[in-house]
Amino acid sequence: MRLLIINPNTSSAVTELIRAEAQRSASPDTELQVHTAPYGVEYIETRLESVIAAGAVAEVIAAHAGEVDGVVVAAFGDPGMPALKELVDVPVIGITEAALCAAALQGHRFSIIAISDRITAWYRECVEGFGLAGRLASIRSITEALGGIDSVQQDFGPTLVALAQRAVAEDGADVIILAGAPLAGLARKVAGQIPVPVVDGIGAGVRLAEAVVGLASGTHRAGAFAAPPRKPRRGLSPALNRAFDRAQKATDNSEGVN
């Protein structure tokens, strides 16, 4: 199985955190291709930054269309999702949807621990979009300014653990989600300090992508996630044009269009 894992942020240091946790989480026979967004911001924190990142992620997916069995969008908030599911005929999984699904399977109410106070409103919208607002116990976040985006775990490890412990004790969380690619791998280190299951978005994304690919459920050839209809396009990169053509051709073939 070949998985394409994309860091929608532009930080190569965060990409290496993602790569390390993905390798720890993946099955031995899963081949990982890990890439960084070609443009955007160092760390996505707002809706606008997410919109910009969505285009960058689409470019990476398009460049590898036909080469992989599944895609993992490795930033909390799932930039470009679920729209990116329309671009290729393999499963595209965001780490937010994966983490929420994993949390929902392990407890009734979950809390999200975030690295930025600014980001919490957007995260809440993401949870609402997945229909899980009623199971969200809380979103707690670091309120201090960050030093380096790749050193959040070292700089704020005890703070993040304390936030998680408060979410359990005060908010009634049955599961904790450590949100954001900069926290990749932290759940393994601090699980013993938190009295409920702790979900890592990267680990959840990789494992659930493997599961969905393994289900071989088929592809979207109709409905809400079918390829976009044919229409004139202008200004797209060659890779994106090819990806559109590939997806639309596959839909045409399934419908018997010549």
Side-chain angles (χ1 to χ4, degrees):
M1 182 185 302
R2 295 166 297 174
L3 293 182
L4 172 63
I5 302 176
I6 306 167
N7 174 16
N9 308 287
T10 60
S11 169
S12 58
V14 171
T15 299
E16 291 311 306
L17 290 174
I18 293 169
R19 186 191 308 276
E21 181 57 26
Q23 290 173 337
R24 286 190 290 262
S25 301
S27 300
D29 58 348
T30 297
E31 175 187 332
L32 302 177
Q33 299 182 29
V34 185
H35 293 270
T36 308
Y39 60 84
V41 297
E42 183 183 42
Y43 177 64
I44 300 163
E45 200 171 11
T46 72
R47 302 172 188 87
L48 177 59
E49 292 167 349
S50 175
V51 170
I52 295 169
V57 172
E59 292 286 356
V60 179
I61 294 175
H64 296 275
E67 301 175 4
V68 296
D69 302 301
V71 178
V72 177
V73 179
F76 216 80
D78 295 351
M81 298 287 285
L84 293 169
K85 296 178 186 287
E86 302 174 13
L87 186 58
V88 285
D89 59 356
V90 299
V92 181
I93 306 294
I95 65 168
T96 308
E97 62 180 354
L100 293 177
C101 288
L105 288 170
Q106 296 182 79
H108 180 64
R109 303 183 75 214
F110 55 84
S111 286
I112 295 171
I113 308 301
I115 69 173
S116 163
D117 191 52
R118 173 67 190 275
I119 212 168
T120 57
W122 174 37
Y123 280 2
R124 191 175 300 277
E125 290 174 5
C126 292
V127 176
E128 292 170 353
F130 285 112
L132 292 172
R135 298 179 68 173
L136 177 64
S138 62
I139 301 178
R140 290 180 176 266
S141 66
I142 297 171
T143 57
E144 303 170 54
L146 302 181
I149 196 60
D150 58 328
S151 63
V152 175
Q153 296 187 35
Q154 292 77 22
D155 297 343
F156 292 97
T159 299
L160 293 163
V161 170
L163 290 170
Q165 291 170 338
R166 289 182 60 190
V168 174
E170 300 175 20
D171 306 330
D174 303 311
V175 184
I176 295 296
I177 298 172
L178 296 181
L183 301 186
L186 182 61
R188 294 177 185 268
K189 301 174 185 176
V190 303
Q193 303 174 52
I194 300 168
V196 298
V198 184
V199 174
D200 183 297
I202 302 300
V206 169
R207 296 299 286 181
L208 287 183
E210 289 179 329
V212 174
V213 171
L215 286 172
S217 305
T219 57
H220 294 285
R221 293 291 172 253
F225 294 104
R230 291 187 180 277
K231 62 190 69 170
R233 303 189 295 263
R234 183 174 66 182
L236 299 186
S237 68
L240 268 177
N241 270 317
R242 287 193 298 271
F244 268 84
D245 289 340
R246 178 188 178 93
Q248 290 165 341
K249 183 178 180 180
T251 298
D252 290 345
N253 289 342
S254 72
E255 296 174 350
V257 177
N258 295 323

